[in-house]
Amino acid sequence: MMQLLCQLDTSDFSGWKRDFDSERTERMEAGLTLLQMWRDSDTRSRVLMLFEVGDVARAKVWLRKEQGFGGPMTAHFLETV
């Protein structure tokens, strides 16, 4: 099983979250299912998301698009061992 762990910083969490929620269909079309979202307890602008990846190629296309918006996003594709 493949997962994708993303981390980003946003100066407007509520606005970012509203946009994120409105893009659920795009993530589903990219083969991504949100498993968990966290907010850093010390750095409230930092958000981490864990996705299940159904299609790595489509997920990479989605990721490139997302990394082009706003602040920097780091991402790691992970395999369950």
Side-chain angles (χ1 to χ4, degrees):
M1 179 179 303
M2 181 80 64
Q3 289 90 30
L4 172 62
L5 180 63
C6 298
Q7 176 182 315
L8 63 92
D9 288 295
T10 178
S11 60
D12 176 18
F13 177 79
S14 60
W16 172 85
K17 180 72 164 79
R18 184 177 50 253
D19 291 343
F20 179 85
D21 291 343
S22 73
E23 297 172 352
R24 183 174 183 262
T25 300
E26 288 84 355
R27 288 189 304 278
M28 288 176 53
E29 290 172 354
L32 295 169
T33 302
L34 180 66
L35 299 174
Q36 188 69 48
M37 180 183 292
W38 300 275
R39 219 170 150 185
D40 190 300
S41 63
D42 294 323
T43 308
R44 301 296 289 166
S45 62
R46 185 161 298 139
V47 179
L48 291 100
M49 299 163 287
L50 179 64
F51 297 95
E52 182 176 329
V53 179
D55 184 307
V56 174
R58 289 188 299 169
K60 287 181 178 181
V61 170
W62 174 86
L63 184 58
R64 280 192 298 274
K65 181 186 78 132
E66 289 299 308
Q67 288 175 323
F69 297 120
M73 176 191 287
T74 60
H76 303 277
F77 284 91
L78 308 166
E79 292 183 45
T80 301
V81 294

